[in-house]
Amino acid sequence: MLRPSAARLLTACLVICSLAACSTAGNGTAASPAAAKDGAAASSSATVGVAYSRGGRGDKSFNDSVGAGLDRAKAELGVKVKELSPNAAGSDLEEILRLLAETGHNPVLAVGFFYAQPLTKVAPSFPGTQFVIVDDTSVKLPNVTNVSFREEEASYLVGAAAALKSTTGRLGFVGGVQTPPQESFIAGYAAGARKINPKIDISSVFLSQPPDFSGFSSPDKAQEAARGMYDAGADIVYHAAGASGLGVFQAAKAAGKKAIGVDVDQRETVGAELADVILTSATKELDVAVFNTIQEAAAGKPVYGVREFGLKEKGVSYATSGGGLGDIEPRLEKLREEIVAGRIDVPSTLQ
């Protein structure tokens, strides 16, 4: 945890695709400019391809938030969506991207940085298809848009919250897979906690190492890791591990301690049995971003290039449901203001 990891993020994502201008199949030909003139027609005939992150829909986190935005777009805009999820081993990432492009989906949204390498192989073969990758800025191709979040900023705030609420002076962090985007989570978390208590102790672990991405879908391993942290004295554990986070919440429940969720307000998604253990969550407004992006694209307002969203852009934040932060929220908001104003520089790598 030492450091990892859209609202407008995805706003860039699908906006990029100019649903109107990219409604042609991935056959290397560009859409007719005339198609972009009719936003309503574009939205109703658009077909968006989505390659989900490990765990797919049902993770009660990142994927589900993306899915919620897509569901709303389908219901309100008439957009057609094809959704695919990788196998447990993640050995079919390239195959999924290629299939979506070959079947005429445009844009094709790759949810997760681990699509970077497969995308470098697939995108050049479909120059008329707009690809959007979330959580990666390494792929530099003319038909690829990179969308990234400043997860470290949201993590900084939940780290500060954890330090303010901790009675033992010991915190924990469980990450899914140790990659640079994931490390930004622990970097921000540690910086925020140490802003409040320079002497606070933080234990961290990543559940797997690349190319093994099973850490995002191993709640049993996450539960074991979190249990060890609680047994060692930690009273709050933050996870950035996708579907594996459920194991952290289960460990918190068994220990009578607290946990911090990620990507969405997980207090609202895990069910009544585990909701009370969640102090807060470091959030990304992915559902709103996806929907707004599709709306803008349908109106003929494509957005290209690298898109990065943090506190200033209101792309990341922290959840306040449950009232557990009521007494410290003014201090957290002061920290937010200082980050937005540039008076606090939040690290994305471990210091």
Side-chain angles (χ1 to χ4, degrees), residues 6-252:
R8 331 253 181 196
L9 245 199
L10 278 164
T11 295
C13 275
L14 287 174
V15 162
I16 249 187
C17 72
S18 173
L19 295 183
C22 45
S23 59
T24 54
N27 59 3
T29 60
S32 167
K37 295 180 180 180
D38 187 347
S43 65
S44 62
S45 63
T47 57
V48 180
V50 181
Y52 280 115
S53 176
R54 307 301 176 87
R57 292 193 70 161
D59 67 350
K60 302 184 185 300
S61 186
F62 194 88
N63 287 316
D64 279 359
S65 186
V66 171
L70 292 168
D71 288 345
R72 183 183 171 194
K74 286 188 289 184
E76 298 183 24
L77 302 177
V79 171
K80 297 178 181 178
V81 179
K82 177 66 174 180
E83 302 167 82
L84 297 176
S85 299
N87 58 37
S91 60
D92 58 348
L93 302 181
E94 182 178 337
E95 179 183 348
I96 288 175
L97 293 177
R98 193 173 298 278
L99 176 61
L100 290 171
E102 287 177 340
T103 51
H105 296 87
N106 199 343
V108 173
L109 176 61
V111 183
F113 57 85
F114 37 73
Y115 278 102
Q117 184 174 356
L119 191 55
T120 61
K121 299 179 180 179
V122 176
S125 300
F126 300 90
T129 298
Q130 183 64 51
F131 293 89
V132 179
I133 183 168
V134 179
D135 268 356
D136 176 82
T137 58
S138 67
V139 182
K140 306 298 183 183
L141 293 171
N143 61 330
V144 173
T145 296
N146 310 89
V147 176
S148 67
F149 300 93
R150 290 195 289 277
E151 299 98 340
E152 64 272 14
E153 294 183 351
S155 296
Y156 185 99
L157 294 180
V158 300
L164 287 166
K165 286 293 185 177
S166 176
T167 60
T168 65
R170 299 178 70 89
L171 304 176
F173 174 90
V174 176
V177 183
Q178 189 166 9
T179 63
Q182 277 271 289
E183 290 180 343
S184 66
F185 285 94
I186 180 58
Y189 181 62
R194 288 168 180 153
K195 173 70 173 180
I196 302 301
N197 178 3
K199 296 182 179 181
I200 200 160
D201 182 85
I202 304 174
S203 299
S204 64
V205 66
F206 288 95
L207 301 177
S208 66
Q209 299 288 323
D212 176 7
F213 287 89
S214 64
F216 290 121
S217 54
S218 302
D220 54 336
K221 292 182 180 179
Q223 184 175 17
E224 182 180 355
R227 183 188 301 121
M229 293 175 184
Y230 289 128
D231 288 346
D235 52 357
I236 302 173
V237 175
Y238 174 36
H239 93 84
S244 297
L246 178 63
V248 174
F249 302 147
Q250 292 170 333

Side-chain angles (χ1 to χ4, degrees), residues 295-316:
Q295 269 194 319
E296 292 186 35
K301 301 176 182 178
V303 177
Y304 298 90
V306 175
R307 297 326 232 193
E308 188 177 58
F309 296 88
L311 291 174
K312 184 176 183 179
E313 297 79 15
K314 298 181 180 179
V316 300

